[in-house]
Amino acid sequence: DTEVTQTPKHLVMGMTNKKSLKCEQHMGHRAMYWYKQKAKKPPELMFVYSYEKLSINESVPSRFSPECPNSSLLNLHLHALQPEDSALYLCASSLVSTSGSSFGNEQFFGPGTRLTVL
Amino acid sequence: DQQVKQNSPSLSVQEGRISILNCDYTNSMFDYFLWYKKYPAEGPTFLISISSIKDKNEDGRFTVFLNKSAKHLSLHIVPSQPGDSAVYFCAATTSGTYKYIFGTGTRLKVLA
């Protein structure tokens, strides 16, 4: 199984709602990532988990709250979002190299969740 | 500050000809580079990579060239096929990190 799955595919939420995005992989990858991609822009890294511990937070606002409950699952909890947070949210996973980074390993991406904040 | 740049937003190529996609970077600490292909409504798919200790890596129709002195890499697709029509992103990373920096993307259209 070389697939990263993401649910839901589409999400529309109001600024007062609380929702969660879910990502799952069964490739034994111990690094998992959240990216945000706006139209005609490159994916921008938000968070990285390595061995279920938060390794990188790219100064993301606290209205985005990541969670890695086990080695196969990654969640992104959303609360009090703004319309400018509307974007494609991509999850990815990769092996961890012996040096303890992702070096030399490609990332496998899910299809993304298209989020619209009204 | 965009550390990885793809200066051509789009490229059209005839089927069977060579497609050359270019990528420039500014951070000399980058030592591993990757190319991804992205179809609409799908996540990026890994194509090919190259380490900074090499200047060329080939996989079937895809070849990546790295010119470290110029901080430039390119992806060659030969022969180009209509199914190659997609957005191509280059990405760069540094050993010891989990950070991948993506370029702005080039939309390739292969004409039948």
Side-chain angles (χ1 to χ4, degrees):
Chain A
D1 183 3
T2 58
E3 194 181 19
V4 176
T5 59
Q6 289 188 245
T7 53
K9 282 190 167 45
H10 301 274
L11 178 62
V12 179
M13 61 186 291
M15 288 192 283
T16 58
N17 292 156
K18 282 186 182 180
K19 296 286 184 185
S20 296
L21 309 184
K22 181 180 170 183
C23 172
E24 195 165 0
Q25 58 88 14
H26 296 285
M27 294 178 277
H29 292 172
R30 302 308 294 271
M32 296 187 76
Y33 311 74
W34 280 115
Y35 286 86
K36 174 182 177 180
Q37 187 179 20
K38 302 278 266 186
K40 299 191 189 305
K41 296 285 188 184
E44 292 182 4
L45 184 66
M46 299 174 71
F47 302 104
V48 181
Y49 274 82
S50 172
Y51 291 96
E52 298 87 71
K53 286 190 170 49
L54 185 63
S55 179
I56 294 177
N57 176 344
E58 289 287 90
S59 303
V60 179
S62 59
R63 56 186 185 269
F64 295 92
S65 175
E67 179 197 19
C68 190
N70 61 55
S71 60
S72 300
L73 276 175
L74 185 66
N75 299 319
L76 186 62
H77 303 298
L78 314 172
H79 174 53
L81 294 194
Q82 304 295 310
E84 59 264 28
D85 297 322
S86 299
L88 179 69
Y89 287 84
L90 292 162
C91 173
S93 69
S94 75
L95 290 168
V96 177
S97 66
T98 52
S99 66
S101 72
S102 57
F103 183 76
N105 298 308
E106 70 268 25
Q107 294 173 310
F108 290 75
F109 282 85
T113 294
R114 174 74 58 189
L115 173 68
T116 303
V117 182
L118 301 176
Chain B
D1 176 30
Q2 189 69 31
Q3 297 185 65
V4 180
K5 293 182 184 177
Q6 294 174 254
N7 291 317
S8 298
S10 63
L11 175 69
S12 289
V13 170
Q14 208 65 35
E15 182 180 6
R17 307 295 289 266
I18 184 170
S19 295
I20 300 176
L21 296 95
N22 294 303
C23 179
D24 297 294
Y25 61 96
T26 57
N27 188 341
S28 57
M29 296 298 291
F30 289 145
D31 51 11
Y32 190 64
F33 304 88
L34 310 93
W35 283 94
Y36 288 85
K37 176 169 74 172
K38 187 178 186 299
Y39 294 118
E42 293 183 14
T45 303
F46 170 73
L47 270 178
I48 192 168
S49 62
I50 188 166
S51 163
S52 60
I53 61 172
K54 294 187 174 182
D55 53 19
K56 176 183 173 182
N57 189 25
E58 197 171 347
D59 184 2
R61 296 187 297 115
F62 302 93
T63 303
V64 57
F65 296 91
L66 175 63
N67 182 334
K68 286 189 294 292
S69 59
K71 294 191 178 70
H72 177 85
L73 63 155
S74 61
L75 175 68
H76 293 210
I77 306 173
V78 182
S80 300
Q81 299 173 354
D84 296 329
S85 298
V87 178
Y88 288 78
F89 291 98
C90 64
T93 187
T94 305
S95 53
T97 78
Y98 290 98
K99 282 193 183 185
Y100 293 78
I101 308 296
F102 283 78
T104 46
T106 296
R107 183 174 300 278
L108 173 66
K109 189 169 184 180
V110 180
L111 307 168

